[in-house]
């Protein structure tokens, strides 16, 4: 999954021949999962039509402050456009546009929108080679970078003048790769490895039956995605669940029983920086597993159960400097029991949720948690979606590493 997935991208197009490439650029952003809006200078419409770009982006294209043909037209709010965007890409950026961006000469909608934007701005210049190396252009690059803008270097190739040299706008594929790499390099958890457990475990009774629980695995999966979105390399150890995911930075390891999960956790734990134990692991399992299907011969059936290995406690025993986070699902004496688990299992943080809280627990899209750290500081949270709770957990990890 691209880091651009879900991002709101505003594409600014100025009046250069390279504007024809923006049709491909819009398609690539859409393919990466981004939402795209386009703002054009009037001159850029000589090179590519707004109809083409609106069709590809599935959004209206803006090129003027208002529609002159409609005396009742509402103005195109450049402030609203600038604040909407997560990323603003100006491609192609001509020498004229670069100069206006430096001086703040907002005589068109694109420049006015640029001056209102609060998000990262990427600039893909395009011009002839003599213009590209001219001192005024170099000065524009320096000034724009001092404002915090990011320049996507022009490429060497054939130019509209018939000459060949530096000044050709980066190809759409290279622009997308540049932005993705730049974002990934700046992600706060880049370089960190995080282990997450999720879902239930199934403890076999016989070849067809098992003891399990109602855990959907969603909380753990959401934590894994939130961590990966912040740049971490994630190992997600999942019990049986219907959930699916596809993320470049998540290694999904499927297990079934508590012993399977125990083995997998200890296989990866020594090589991670953080472990988040969100799985609902069975506390007991059948002492004997029948080799054949148990027949319904009697009106009652007595099973002898034995304790499973406590995965979280075993990780706490061998941890070195890992940041270890556990979950506690309680029905009584919630805070006291959670604090006992912190001490007993050598945890750095526990995420407590109670079945007494409406909207919390298994099989629900929401959760209501209380964070308790190893110093027993308590932080109760409001009822939130599990995706939002996952982000809160990742923020705790970021705070631990001061990122």
């Amino acid at each position: 999954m691209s880091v651009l997935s879900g991002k709101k991208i505003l594409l600014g197009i100025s009046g250069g021949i390279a504007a024809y490439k923006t049709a491909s650029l819009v398609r690539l952003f859409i393919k990466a999962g981004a939402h795209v809006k386009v703002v054009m200078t009037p001159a850029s419409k000589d090179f590519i039509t707004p109809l083409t770009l609106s069709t590809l982006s599935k959004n209206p294209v803006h090129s003027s402050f208002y529609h002159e043909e409609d005396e009742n037209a509402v103005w195109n709010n450049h402030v609203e456009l600038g604040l909407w965007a997560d990323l603003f890409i100006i491609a192609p950026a001509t020498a004229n546009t670069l100069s206006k961006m430096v001086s703040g000469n907002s005589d068109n909608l694109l420049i006015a929108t640029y001056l209102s934007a609060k998000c990262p701005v990427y600039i893909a210049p395009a011009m002839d080679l003599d213009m590209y190396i001219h001192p005024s252009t170099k000065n524009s690059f320096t000034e724009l970078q001092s404002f915090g803008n990011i320049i996507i270097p022009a490429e060497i190739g054939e130019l509209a003048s018939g000459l060949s040299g530096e000044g050709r706008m980066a190809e759409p594929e290279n622009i997308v790769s540049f932005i993705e790499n730049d974002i990934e390099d700046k992600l706060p958890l880049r370089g960190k490895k995080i282990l997450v457990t999720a879902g239930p475990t199934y403890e076999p009774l016989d070849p067809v039956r098992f003891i399990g629980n109602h855990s959907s695995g969603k909380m753990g999966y959401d934590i894994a995605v939130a961590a990966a979105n912040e740049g971490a390399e994630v190992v997600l150890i999942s019990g049986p669940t219907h959930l699916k995911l596809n993320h470049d930075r998540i290694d999904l390891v499927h297990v079934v029983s508590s012993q399977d999960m125990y083995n997998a956790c200890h296989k990866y734990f020594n090589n991670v920086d953080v472990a988040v134990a969100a799985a609902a692991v069975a506390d007991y399992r059948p002492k004997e597993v029948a080799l054949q299907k148990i027949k319904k011969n009697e009106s009652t059936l007595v099973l002898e159960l034995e304790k499973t290995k406590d995965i979280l406690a075993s990780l706490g025993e061998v941890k070195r400097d890992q940041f270890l986070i556990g979950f506690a699902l309680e029905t009584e004496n919630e805070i006291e029991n959670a604090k006992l688990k912190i001490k007993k299992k050598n945890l750095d943080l526990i995420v407590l949720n109670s079945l007494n809280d409406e909207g919390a627990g298994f099989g629900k899209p929401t959760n209501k948690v209380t964070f308790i750290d190893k110093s027993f500081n308590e932080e109760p949270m409001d009822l939130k979606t599990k995706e939002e709770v996952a982000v809160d957990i990742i923020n705790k990890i970021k705070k631990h590493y001061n990122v």
Side-chain angles (χ1 to χ4, degrees), residues 309-360:
K309 293 179 181 178
D310 190 323
I311 296 173
L312 189 55
S314 70
L315 296 179
E317 289 175 359
V318 300
K319 82 169 186 177
R320 302 183 309 278
D321 54 359
Q322 290 96 335
F323 189 60
L324 185 58
I325 301 174
F327 272 68
L329 177 62
E330 302 290 344
T331 59
E332 58 183 355
N333 300 321
E334 292 98 337
I335 298 294
E336 293 80 1
N337 287 333
K339 289 180 178 179
L340 286 173
K341 286 184 178 180
I342 291 174
K343 186 174 182 180
K344 181 180 178 181
K345 302 187 181 187
N346 193 21
L347 306 181
D348 296 288
L349 181 72
I350 199 162
V351 184
L352 168 64
N353 52 101
S354 170
L355 285 179
N356 294 320
D357 291 324
E358 186 176 352

Side-chain angles (χ1 to χ4, degrees), residues 112-271:
T113 303
Y114 161 73
L115 294 174
S116 299
K118 304 298 182 186
C119 63
V121 178
Y122 293 86
I123 301 167
M127 63 200 73
D128 211 71
L129 60 93
D130 291 327
M131 299 171 70
Y132 191 74
I133 63 174
H134 194 277
S136 64
T137 305
K138 290 185 175 181
N139 180 66
S140 293
F141 290 155
T142 301
E143 288 295 312
L144 289 169
Q145 286 175 312
S146 74
F147 299 163
N149 300 311
I150 302 150
I151 306 296
I152 302 174
E155 298 177 357
I156 297 173
E158 185 178 351
L159 304 170
S161 65
L163 300 174
S164 183
E166 193 172 19
R168 181 186 179 99
M169 188 181 85
E171 292 300 313
E173 294 84 356
N174 296 337
I175 290 175
V176 173
S177 294
F178 182 98
I179 296 169
E180 288 176 330
N181 292 335
D182 185 71
I183 292 172
E184 288 179 351
D185 287 343
K186 295 172 181 175
L187 291 174
L189 293 181
R190 185 171 177 82
K192 298 296 182 186
K193 295 182 179 180
I194 297 180
L195 183 152
V196 180
T197 66
T201 61
Y202 290 172
E203 310 303 322
L205 289 169
D206 61 25
V208 297
R209 300 184 181 94
F210 61 85
I211 296 174
N213 57 61
H214 296 295
S215 174
S216 67
K218 180 171 171 52
M219 188 74 257
Y221 275 63
D222 287 341
I223 294 167
V225 170
N229 286 343
E230 294 285 8
E233 295 294 326
V234 179
V235 176
L236 175 59
I237 301 174
S238 174
T241 174
H242 69 280
L243 299 174
K244 306 292 182 184
L245 59 75
N246 180 23
H247 200 297
D248 293 341
R249 285 190 290 274
I250 299 177
D251 180 13
L252 179 57
V253 179
H254 291 285
V255 297
V256 176
S257 70
S258 59
Q259 185 62 48
D260 296 338
M261 187 167 284
Y262 177 95
N263 294 339
C265 285
H266 281 273
K267 176 181 177 180
Y268 293 101
F269 184 67
N270 285 337
N271 296 318

Side-chain angles (χ1 to χ4, degrees), residues 47-67:
F47 301 99
I48 187 167
T49 67
L51 178 60
T52 298
L53 297 167
S54 64
T55 301
L56 294 172
S57 68
K58 298 179 176 60
N59 278 308
V61 171
H62 305 287
S63 60
S64 60
F65 290 102
Y66 63 96
H67 298 290

